[in-house]
């Protein structure tokens, strides 16, 4: 049986090569924890606007508040291949711990936190109502339009270029920074933890690997280093199926975009902050065929691993 | 002007201390500005979203005295001012212009069996044409999304200036698809559907799961090509369009030897992240290629939420 099929059959028959509803994903998370109890725990970090629980999978082999890596998927509801990749990746980490020397050494000194559904209300909405929904589902006073763009709601250049103050816009930044509970839940966790060394946010589509900033096109101080890490990561990604990614800052590569998560993370001192835009480049766009989930996740894993190994091998201290 | 000189040509953007005061610009089209201070500056009371922008802290060569005076008022802004000269081919200004080239090529050469996409931008320069707008010169590799064949060509894109705007004008060195084997497929498809019985209809191409019903792929491709007519005319330096989905396709009776289809499509505009709903009439034959007409923008509906069929 091919490795990808074998992975597909684990996790109590969860089909990694398919797009699942929220309930199925939440059930699967419990299965993963049950199958790998020494490595994985499920952490409730708060609720969404419509009161859905938000769970983070914490991969840890012990210690207290070890330096940690953050990965979130699914913050934009219609980008289905993002949480699908997250799920496959979480399973990969659990299965490969103890078998892959590099991953094992990483997890022996660092923790990995994965928020698979960063926007559960939006994700649910794309299954039952509007496949093309992007935002949260919060209500805006004085408007019939709902939702804010959760990746314009962070406290980093809030309200700047690449956002809208119109609640009906897909780039509506929200009434204020951290107004979206989905965002504040994460902010609170990261701040309380205080020891994250990397912050990776996964989106789709466009095949890009980006670093800060979005709110400004001026180069960040660590630009050269992050660019080097990014270039090496996408080279590894391409080694699997030849999939081409571009690397650069958000502002220069795609567009100015203010109030984004990786800008906030970087500005709070989390140096290795990156954003992925996964497959494809526009042919299917948000409607990526399910048979591309596992190839996408497999190639992305090589890039993620590279970044995580680099973080492991380049410890740093941040003054707060 | 040499590229090197163009690289050092810089324009000072002065912001008056008065809120909302218009900006003084030099030989640039009017721009909407949303100042994002990197150093503390007064924030306008009505911030306007800037659709695109490259970092700018730009200065014109002026005499030192003037420069010193102006530096007191000069602020660092992230401004929607366009770059000129040699562009980084991987950055968004070049890529947006290149995407326009692909929409143009699809209107000329697209078919149910040829649907071009941008693969890579190799070189790009931009030039201000005064009142006439801005011109991009590009070298790109395009790829047929169906067969995977790649070709490289050069192109020029002119985004018209002035308030009237208008669609971009594109010329390319592309001479047509080098492969000829789509002809047999096209004729077969044409003959199969050149009928007044059992007119074709379909919806959700692809569906929510990325699946296109068997036999419907050519009509997905045709929808994409026909949408390029809309996307081309709607494009500017502040947009990047892809077709997100064919919501529905309904065949009409053949007329003037052209197969005809009513299309309902969703376009994804990357810069605003909006999903934009258009109707159009696509006509096609192997001889005439694809034409689009009766293009109509449908309003964004916030309150009607038709459930997605799976």
């Amino acid at each position: 049986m091919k490795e990808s099929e074998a992975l597909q059959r684990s996790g109590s028959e969860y089909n990694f090569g398919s797009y699942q509803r929220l309930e199925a994903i939440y059930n699967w998370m419990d299965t993963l924890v049950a199958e790998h109890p020494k490595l994985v725990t499920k952490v409730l970090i708060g609720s969404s606007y419509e009161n859905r629980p938000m769970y983070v999978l914490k991969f840890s082999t012990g210690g207290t508040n070890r330096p940690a890596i953050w990965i979130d998927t699914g913050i934009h509801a219609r980008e289905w291949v993002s949480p699908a990749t997250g799920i496959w990746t979480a399973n990969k980490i659990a299965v490969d711990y103890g078998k892959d020397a590099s991953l094992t050494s990483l997890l022996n000194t660092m923790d990995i936190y994965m928020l698979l559904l960063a926007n559960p209300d939006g994700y649910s909405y794309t299954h039952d109502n509007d496949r093309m929904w992007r935002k949260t589902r919060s209500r805006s006073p004085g408007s019939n339009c709902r939702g804010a763009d959760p990746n314009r709601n962070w406290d980093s250049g809030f309200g700047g270029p690449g956002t809208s103050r119109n609640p009906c816009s897909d780039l509506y930044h929200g009434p204020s920074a951290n107004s979206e509970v989905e965002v504040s839940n994460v902010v609170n966790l990261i701040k309380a933890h205080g020891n994250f060394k990397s912050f990776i946010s996964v989106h789709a589509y466009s095949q890009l690997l980006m670093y800060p900033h979005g709110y400004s096109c001026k180069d960040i101080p660590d630009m050269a280093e992050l660019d080097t890490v990014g270039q090496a990561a996408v080279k590894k990604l391409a080694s699997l199926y030849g999939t081409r990614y571009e690397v650069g800052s958000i502002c220069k590569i795609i567009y100015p975009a203010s109030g984004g998560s990786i800008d906030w993370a970087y500005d709070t001192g989390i140096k290795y902050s990156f954003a992925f835009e996964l497959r494809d480049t526009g042919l299917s766009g948000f409607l990526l065929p399910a048979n591309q989930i596992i190839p996408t996740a497999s190639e992305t894993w090589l890039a993620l691993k590279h970044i995580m190994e680099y973080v492991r091998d380049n410890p740093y201290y941040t003054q707060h | 002007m040499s590229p090197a000189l163009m690289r050092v040509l810089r324009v000072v953007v002065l912001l008056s201390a008065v809120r909302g005061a218009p900006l003084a610009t030099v030989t640039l089209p009017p721009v909407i500005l949303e100042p994002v201070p990197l150093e503390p500056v007064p924030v306008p009371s009505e911030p306007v979203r800037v659709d695109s922008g490259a970092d700018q802290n730009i200065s014109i060569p002026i005499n030192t005295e003037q420069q010193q005076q102006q530096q007191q008022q000069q602020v660092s802004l992230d401004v929607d001012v366009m770059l000129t000269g040699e562009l980084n081919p991987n950055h968004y200004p070049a890529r947006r212009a290149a995407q326009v080239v692909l929409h143009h090529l699809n209107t000329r050469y697209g078919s149910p069996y040829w649907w071009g996409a941008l693969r890579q931008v190799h070189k790009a320069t931009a030039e201000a044409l005064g009142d006439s707008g801005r011109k991009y010169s590009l070298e790109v590799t395009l790829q047929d999304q169906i067969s995977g064949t790649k070709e490289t060509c050069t192109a020029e894109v002119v985004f018209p200036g002035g308030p009237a705007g208008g669609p971009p004008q594109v010329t390319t060195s592309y001479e047509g698809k080098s492969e000829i084997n789509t002809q047999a497929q096209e004729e077969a498809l044409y003959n199969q559907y050149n009928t007044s019985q059992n007119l074709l209809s379909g919806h959700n191409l692809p569906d929510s799961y990325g699946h296109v019903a068997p036999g419907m792929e050519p009509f997905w491709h045709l929808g994409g090509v026909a949408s390029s007519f809309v996307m081309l005319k709607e494009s500017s330096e502040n947009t990047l369009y892809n077709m997100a989905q064919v919501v529905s396709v309904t065949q009409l009776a053949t007329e003037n030897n052209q197969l005809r289809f009513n299309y309902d499509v969703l376009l994804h505009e990357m810069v605003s992240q909006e999903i934009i709903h258009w109707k159009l009439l696509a006509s096609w034959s192997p001889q005439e290629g694809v034409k689009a007409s009766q293009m109509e923008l449908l309003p964004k509906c916030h309150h009607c939420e038709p459930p997605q069929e799976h």
Side-chain angles (χ1 to χ4, degrees):
Chain A
M1 186 186 270
K2 283 198 289 228
E3 200 220 349
S4 64
E5 282 180 39
L7 279 175
Q8 211 165 313
R9 296 289 177 259
S10 71
S12 282
E13 306 307 318
Y14 182 90
N15 184 355
F16 295 100
S18 69
Y19 296 113
Q20 297 290 338
R21 296 179 59 86
L22 180 140
E23 297 75 19
I25 295 171
Y26 278 18
N27 287 339
W28 170 80
M29 290 200 299
D30 289 335
T31 311
L32 188 77
V33 170
E35 286 182 355
H36 306 273
K38 291 208 186 101
L39 180 64
V40 195
T41 50
K42 193 175 83 168
V43 181
L44 178 70
I45 70 166
S47 297
S48 67
Y49 181 85
E50 289 175 339
N51 261 317
R52 292 182 173 83
M54 290 181 64
Y55 296 119
V56 161
L57 293 176
K58 177 182 173 186
F59 298 80
S60 179
T61 59
T64 310
N65 222 46
R66 282 181 175 167
I69 295 167
W70 171 269
I71 303 172
D72 66 73
T73 59
I75 198 168
H76 285 139
R78 59 195 180 203
E79 299 168 8
W80 280 13
V81 73
S82 164
T85 291
I87 292 156
W88 183 95
T89 304
N91 184 66
K92 177 75 168 162
I93 293 172
V95 162
D96 275 12
Y97 174 74
K99 301 193 183 89
D100 178 308
S102 181
L103 179 69
T104 305
S105 84
L106 190 156
L107 281 167
N108 286 343
T109 55
M110 298 187 76
D111 294 342
I112 300 173
Y113 285 66
M114 292 194 72
L115 174 59
L116 296 179
L117 283 172
N119 180 6
D121 296 349
Y123 188 72
S124 231
Y125 196 75
T126 58
H127 280 268
D128 295 330
N129 301 93
D130 180 358
R131 177 61 177 82
M132 296 295 174
W133 190 255
R134 168 181 169 90
K135 301 186 286 180
T136 62
R137 292 293 299 166
S138 56
R139 277 177 190 79
S140 297
S143 173
N144 282 326
C145 294
R146 290 181 62 158
D149 184 338
N151 206 31
R152 300 291 184 277
N153 189 246
W154 300 68
D155 192 8
S156 52
F158 180 82
T163 69
S164 173
R165 63 203 298 255
N166 179 347
C168 300
S169 166
D170 261 323
L171 294 180
Y172 175 50
H173 47 52
S176 58
N178 300 318
S179 63
E180 304 311 287
V181 65
E182 294 83 358
V183 170
S184 64
N185 287 340
V186 175
V187 170
N188 292 340
L189 181 148
I190 304 264
K191 276 183 164 168
H193 185 283
N195 205 20
F196 277 92
K197 298 302 179 187
S198 178
F199 185 100
I200 300 168
S201 191
V202 182
H203 296 251
Y205 59 95
S206 288
Q207 293 174 203
L208 306 170
L209 176 51
M210 299 177 289
Y211 44 80
H213 284 133
Y215 65 74
S216 164
C217 284
K218 283 193 149 69
D219 289 344
I220 53 175
D222 300 298
M223 180 259 176
E225 185 186 5
L226 294 192
D227 195 82
T228 303
V229 174
Q231 297 286 357
V234 305
K235 223 170 143 186
K236 293 199 170 158
L237 187 154
S239 71
L240 199 56
Y241 299 111
T243 307
R244 302 189 38 173
Y245 270 60
E246 301 292 344
V247 178
S249 77
I250 295 172
C251 188
K252 290 183 179 169
I253 282 281
I254 194 171
Y255 41 38
S258 308
S261 64
I262 76 166
D263 282 2
W264 172 82
Y266 181 79
D267 288 351
T268 64
I270 303 174
K271 177 160 54 149
Y272 300 116
S273 291
F274 291 93
F276 280 85
E277 292 277 2
L278 301 179
R279 291 195 194 181
D280 57 18
T281 54
L283 172 64
S284 299
F286 301 120
L287 306 179
L288 192 73
N291 63 14
Q292 289 197 44
I293 294 173
I294 294 178
T296 301
S298 307
E299 66 191 9
T300 306
W301 171 240
L302 301 180
L304 275 172
K305 238 182 94 177
H306 178 86
I307 295 171
M308 295 199 294
E309 287 163 354
Y310 187 90
V311 175
R312 173 197 67 200
D313 298 338
N314 291 273
Y316 63 94
Y317 299 98
T318 313
Q319 287 162 326
H320 289 283
Chain B
M1 200 177 277
S2 74
L5 193 54
M6 285 179 105
R7 250 180 247 123
V8 301
L9 179 75
R10 289 155 82 71
V11 176
V12 145
V13 178
L14 302 173
L15 179 69
S16 154
V18 174
R19 282 186 175 202
L23 241 47
T25 61
V26 176
T27 69
L28 293 167
V31 294
I32 302 169
L33 299 164
E34 182 163 24
V36 174
L38 300 175
E39 300 132 40
V41 290
V43 177
S45 53
E46 292 287 322
V48 179
R49 182 167 76 84
V50 168
D51 285 337
S52 77
D55 166 291
Q56 308 319 316
N57 185 15
I58 17 195
S59 47
I60 39 173
I62 48 179
N63 70 57
T64 332
E65 222 172 88
Q66 256 186 306
Q67 207 166 12
Q68 274 170 359
Q69 272 176 9
Q70 280 163 346
Q71 259 162 18
Q72 257 123 50
Q73 291 146 7
Q74 195 174 332
V75 291
S76 300
L77 300 172
D78 282 327
V79 177
D80 188 6
V81 177
M82 304 300 183
L83 294 168
T84 53
E86 208 172 313
L87 307 177
N88 186 316
N90 295 324
H91 290 178
Y92 72 78
R95 295 181 72 83
R96 289 180 195 175
Q99 186 85 335
V100 171
V101 173
L102 263 301
H103 289 311
H104 162 84
L105 289 176
N106 279 328
T107 66
R108 297 285 306 277
Y109 301 101
S111 86
Y113 294 100
W114 194 92
W115 187 14
L118 176 66
R119 171 129 174 118
Q120 197 181 353
V121 185
H122 301 285
K123 275 160 65 168
T125 59
E127 182 188 338
L129 303 177
D131 289 340
S132 309
R134 285 170 49 81
K135 180 167 82 170
Y136 288 75
S137 303
L138 304 155
E139 187 188 306
V140 305
T141 293
L142 55 122
Q143 183 167 33
D144 169 27
Q145 299 184 103
I146 302 163
S147 69
T149 359
K150 297 192 280 260
E151 304 218 21
T152 299
C153 74
T154 59
E156 281 187 356
V157 181
V158 174
F159 293 103
Q169 304 299 313
V170 184
T171 54
T172 78
S173 67
Y174 188 70
E175 281 167 353
K177 307 174 296 243
S178 43
E179 57 183 301
I180 53 169
N181 57 4
T182 61
Q183 195 175 347
Q185 291 168 288
E186 289 185 30
E187 308 242 326
L189 189 77
Y190 179 86
N191 292 331
Q192 183 183 353
Y193 286 96
N194 186 18
T195 166
S196 52
Q197 317 246 319
N198 297 324
L199 296 176
L200 171 124
S201 74
H203 58 271
N204 292 349
L205 310 175
D207 68 13
S208 290
Y209 301 87
H211 186 243
V212 177
M216 292 302 292
E217 297 95 332
F219 303 101
W220 172 42
H221 306 154
L222 179 61
V225 168
S227 293
S228 275
F229 284 82
V230 176
M231 296 190 279
L232 175 63
K233 81 176 181 74
E234 294 293 305
S235 285
S236 73
E237 291 169 281
N238 299 328
T239 62
L240 189 113
Y241 277 99
N242 288 296
M243 183 183 76
Q245 188 183 41
V246 171
V247 176
S248 72
V249 52
T250 310
Q251 186 177 8
L252 307 175
T254 300
E255 206 172 86
N256 297 329
N257 294 321
Q258 308 302 303
L259 300 190
R260 298 187 311 150
F261 304 87
N262 269 332
Y263 271 95
D264 223 322
V265 295
L266 297 179
L267 307 182
H268 175 225
E269 201 289 289
M270 185 82 70
V271 180
S272 64
Q273 288 294 348
E274 295 292 334
I275 301 292
I276 311 175
H277 199 168
W278 282 83
K279 283 172 112 75
L280 59 92
L281 175 63
S283 61
W284 171 70
S285 70
Q287 296 77 23
E288 296 294 315
V290 179
K291 301 279 177 279
S293 61
Q294 298 179 25
M295 295 176 273
E296 186 190 336
L297 171 67
L298 299 177
K300 182 171 170 176
C301 181
H302 302 294
H303 316 302
C304 45
E305 296 147 359
Q308 278 285 320
E309 289 168 281
H310 296 316

